[in-house]
Amino acid sequence: MAPTIPQDADEPQTTVDALVQLSFLVHGALARIAATHDLSLIQIRLLGILRDRTPGMLDLARHLGLDKSSMTGLAGRAEKRGLVERRPSPHDGRGVLIGLTPAGRSLAERCTAEMDQAVAALTASLTTAERDTLRAVAVKLLHAAAPGGETSGT
């Protein structure tokens, strides 16, 4: 029988507890960064998704878990702020693609840099090997959870 290791009362007791508490830390950092730039969480997620792609409205709605009308409103508000632009789809005459404007790209890059700093601070006590392991496990979980084995970039 393995010896019982005493745990701190505040220490997560299960994998679920640990992952949920970690997600709260990451979510909190993202919320603080969004607030500093007068963005909602969904708006900062939008910018993050658009950093490396120009999806159609339906694909974007799927990535964000929104219905079409909510996606249209989100895109409209971001467009009014000069962060995104709608472009005609070259493959579908009725389709619209959403992409970052130069101002949107600049803001997305600033938010990404700030999130990188927040995560670096969060993982500062880890060794390089532990950070590499954490990333590998996170990627594996994301691939397992994503439909078709692809991550969403969010």
Side-chain angles (χ1 to χ4, degrees), residues 8 13 19 21 28 34 36 38 66 84 90 118 143 151:
D8 183 322
Q13 302 296 307
L19 287 174
Q21 288 179 31
T36 2
D38 195 27
L66 298 175
V84 303
H143 280 291
T151 57

Side-chain angles (χ1 to χ4, degrees), residues 49-108:
I49 290 168
L50 296 177
R51 286 178 310 178
D52 62 354
R53 66 193 84 180
T54 307
M57 289 288 274
L58 291 177
D59 285 340
L60 194 50
R62 210 172 7 259
H63 278 297
L64 292 168
L66 298 175
D67 61 36
K68 187 179 176 185
S69 64
S70 297
M71 186 62 241
T72 301
L74 176 64
R77 289 185 299 279
E79 194 172 31
K80 280 183 184 175
R81 280 190 68 178
L83 302 176
V84 303
E85 61 187 359
R86 299 172 202 233
R87 305 170 187 158
S89 170
H91 308 293
D92 177 359
R94 296 174 296 150
V96 175
L97 303 179
I98 302 294
L100 290 174
T101 62
R105 181 156 311 284
S106 175
L107 182 55

